[in-house]
């Protein structure tokens, strides 16, 4: 199954790199730990990094009830409108070094989600979204920490965005040099990159008897 392309999700360059498959989009969203949320704020266009998590065909975005995105969404709702947003995630898989300067590139996987964000008001959905956000950081973490109290819930905001107008874009493989440059004496190839978790470092005040959770292994 795939998302339906729209004029806004159809690339103007390298259209062959676009991918509308749900499985591809879901994998990228689920692997990425940070997204960038773009919206029109009171002072103009704003792009902010934040954490996200996907639950089915909904994308949840973490925020503060006093933060710009939540205030903009509430202001839009009060005026009978929605808050148009653009959410992007990018995973960098490698540096592509070509013989010619103009053919250098990056191997990447990215997703763009466009649509109207809503403030999550329902308490049950909000708790579900916050648990999903915790488990996106590390599966199993939601059950291994204190649940938020009423004060913390009141200070925490969550936006929801339906996955409807969505596209992925990917670049893989090595450099694409011009044939006449093949004999040049410059190294060409790919430098792979990846995000690797290191050894967990305990908090200074952690009881030494507290074991490292299995989900951090």
């Amino acid at each position: 199954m795939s998302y339906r392309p729209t004029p806004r999700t159809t690339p103007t360059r390298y259209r062959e790199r676009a991918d509308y498959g749900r499985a591809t989009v879901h994998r990228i969203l689920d692997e990425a730990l940070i997204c960038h949320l773009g919206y029109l704020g009171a002072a103009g266009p704003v792009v902010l990094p934040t954490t996200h998590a996907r639950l089915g065909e909904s994308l949840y975005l973490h925020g503060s009830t006093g933060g710009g995105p939540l205030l903009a969404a509430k202001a839009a709702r009060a005026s009978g409108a929605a808050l148009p947003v653009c959410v992007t995630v990018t995973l960098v898989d490698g540096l592509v070094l070509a013989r010619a300067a103009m053919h250098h590139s990056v191997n990447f996987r990215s997703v763009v989600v466009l649509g109207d964000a809503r403030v999550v008001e329902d308490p049950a959905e909000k708790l579900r979204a916050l648990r999903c956000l915790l488990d996106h950081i590390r599966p199993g973490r939601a059950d291994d920490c204190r649940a938020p109290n009423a004060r913390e819930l009141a200070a925490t905001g969550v936006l929801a965005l339906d996955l409807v107008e969505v596209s992925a874009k990917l670049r893989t493989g090595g450099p694409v040099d011009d044939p006449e440059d093949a004999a040049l004496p410059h190294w060409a190839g790919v430098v792979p990159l990846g995000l690797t978790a290191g050894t967990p470092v305990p908090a200074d005040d952690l009881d030494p008897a507290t074991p490292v959770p299995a989900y951090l292994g």
Side-chain angles (χ1 to χ4, degrees):
M1 296 180 62
S2 299
Y3 295 102
R4 185 185 301 276
T6 71
R8 297 199 300 174
T9 61
T10 301
T12 56
R13 298 183 70 246
Y14 298 110
R15 293 191 178 189
E16 70 279 4
R17 295 180 182 175
D19 191 323
Y20 300 94
R22 290 178 188 268
T24 299
V25 168
H26 290 178
R27 273 197 304 271
I28 296 171
L29 289 174
D30 294 348
E31 182 176 342
L33 295 175
I34 294 290
C35 72
H36 284 83
L37 167 63
Y39 69 99
L40 185 60
V46 182
V47 178
L48 296 174
T50 188
T51 54
H52 69 281
R54 180 188 64 85
L55 190 58
E57 290 298 316
S58 293
L59 188 66
Y60 290 107
L61 309 168
H62 180 268
S64 166
T65 52
L70 270 295
L71 293 176
K74 290 179 179 179
R77 184 184 58 189
S79 63
L83 180 67
V85 299
C86 174
V87 176
T88 63
V89 304
T90 303
L91 299 168
V92 179
D93 296 320
L95 305 176
V96 182
L97 281 64
R99 296 171 181 86
M102 288 297 293
H103 293 309
H104 283 64
S105 188
V106 173
N107 281 342
F108 68 91
R109 291 166 290 149
S110 64
V111 166
V112 175
V113 185
L114 300 161
D116 294 333
R118 63 178 175 84
V119 179
V120 176
E121 301 281 11
D122 178 69
E125 183 185 9
K126 188 175 181 179
L127 281 173
R128 192 163 57 246
L130 292 175
R131 286 182 58 85
C132 190
L133 285 160
L134 284 168
D135 281 338
H136 185 221
I137 295 172
R138 209 65 176 178
R141 188 59 184 176
D143 287 329
D144 193 28
C145 61
R146 177 181 63 78
N149 57 36
R151 178 182 56 80
E152 292 167 337
L153 283 174
T156 304
V158 178
L159 290 176
L161 179 62
D162 292 334
L163 296 177
V164 177
E165 198 170 2
V166 188
S167 66
K169 197 173 183 181
L170 307 88
R171 197 239 187 245
T172 60
V176 182
D177 272 310
D178 296 326
E180 59 268 27
D181 290 336
L184 292 176
H186 309 302
W187 188 91
V190 176
V191 180
L193 298 177
L195 183 65
T196 303
T199 302
V201 179
D204 293 339
D205 58 353
L206 185 70
D207 184 342
T210 305
V212 176
Y215 56 77
L216 294 182

